Amino acid sequence: MAHQQYLEAIDDYSQAPDKSAVIWNKMGMAYHHLFAVDEARRDYLRALQLRPDYPEALNNLGAIYYARKNYGKALKYYQKALQHNPQSAPIYSNLGTAYFARGKVNEGIEAYRKAFAIDPHVFESGSALLVNESLPAHERAEQDSASPNSSPSLARISRPSNTSARRSTKASPTARRSSMDQTLASLRATPEFSQLMAEQKTASRH
């Protein structure tokens, strides 16, 4: 998984004699990275059957529904994940992203503010156990260079919902950018988001 060899990771995880919730969750993440969301959803649900209060699997299941643009259900799973892990900055950032996708700017800003309070570098950090909805670092840089007023915290790529597990993980940057949620892109211009980013820059200097 660390080397992005997702098919090999799936093969190795599949050979575990007694699969724990953690293994099912990691298998789901490997499928998720391959854009095989049906398989990923199946394995996240298997993880939750073993451990219903598993926040990472709840978050990742929320990311599946986000990818399918079922933002209401995504919010439900992110909120449930936070009930079991209220100190998770990535889950708060995912919650904020889902709120933005539904046009709920104030709720999104508040969720992002909580994420920043827990981890000022939440959009640059990754996790071996959960899916973060923020844009990959190299594409954030492209977005920043394309717009002087853009923020790396806002960009988000929507993953396709029906693809093969054998599809390459190296999707075309042009194709991925074309699928960016326009609602999120327009949020960059709102005073609320500008204020949040200004607050965050001030806090990072202290």
Side-chain angles (χ1 to χ4, degrees):
M1 286 282 282
H3 294 282
Q4 299 181 0
Q5 296 174 337
Y6 302 120
L7 292 176
E8 292 84 348
I10 290 169
D11 287 340
D12 286 343
Y13 291 141
S14 297
Q15 295 176 32
D18 296 309
K19 295 182 182 65
S20 64
V22 171
I23 290 179
W24 282 122
N25 182 59
K26 286 188 175 183
M27 284 184 66
M29 288 189 68
Y31 278 119
H32 208 145
H33 285 299
L34 291 168
F35 310 117
V37 293
D38 289 336
E39 291 83 354
R41 177 180 177 275
R42 175 199 64 201
D43 289 346
Y44 295 148
L45 288 171
R46 286 172 172 170
L48 290 169
Q49 286 175 351
L50 295 175
R51 185 178 160 191
D53 61 348
Y54 191 3
E56 287 80 5
L58 289 165
N59 169 86
N60 296 344
L61 193 55
I64 291 291
Y65 288 108
Y66 183 95
R68 291 176 170 174
K69 300 187 183 298
N70 188 340
Y71 304 125
K73 208 159 188 177
L75 284 168
K76 171 186 172 183
Y77 280 104
Y78 294 145
Q79 290 165 343
K80 191 171 182 179
L82 285 167
Q83 290 176 7
H84 299 292
N85 186 2
Q87 293 301 312
S88 173
I91 299 177
Y92 267 117
S93 73
N94 285 352
L95 180 69
T97 300
Y99 273 130
F100 291 141
R102 296 199 76 184
K104 295 187 175 183
V105 175
N106 291 335
E107 291 89 340
I109 291 293
E110 183 59 26
Y112 269 13
R113 183 174 283 114
K114 290 179 179 178
F116 280 132
I118 296 169
D119 180 4
H121 305 289
V122 58
F123 293 101
E124 283 72 46
S125 59
S127 169
L129 292 175
L130 54 77
V131 175
N132 193 332
E133 294 295 349
S134 61
L135 194 64
H138 70 282
E139 293 185 7
R140 284 201 303 268
E142 291 174 5
Q143 290 297 323
D144 290 344
S145 64
S147 172
N149 297 319
S150 67
S151 166
S153 303
L154 180 62
R156 167 69 181 95
I157 291 296
S158 297
R159 294 189 176 95
S161 60
N162 292 304
T163 50
S164 167
R166 299 287 165 175
R167 177 174 174 176
S168 169
T169 61
K170 296 182 179 179
S172 163
T174 300
R176 295 184 69 189
R177 281 195 299 273
S178 70
S179 68
M180 181 177 291
D181 190 320
Q182 293 303 311
T183 301
L184 296 182
S186 66
L187 185 67
R188 291 188 178 119
T190 65
E192 294 91 345
F193 190 82
S194 298
Q195 180 181 353
L196 174 64
M197 297 312 297
E199 291 174 1
Q200 176 58 22
K201 288 179 181 178
T202 299
S204 66
R205 285 197 293 266
H206 291 82

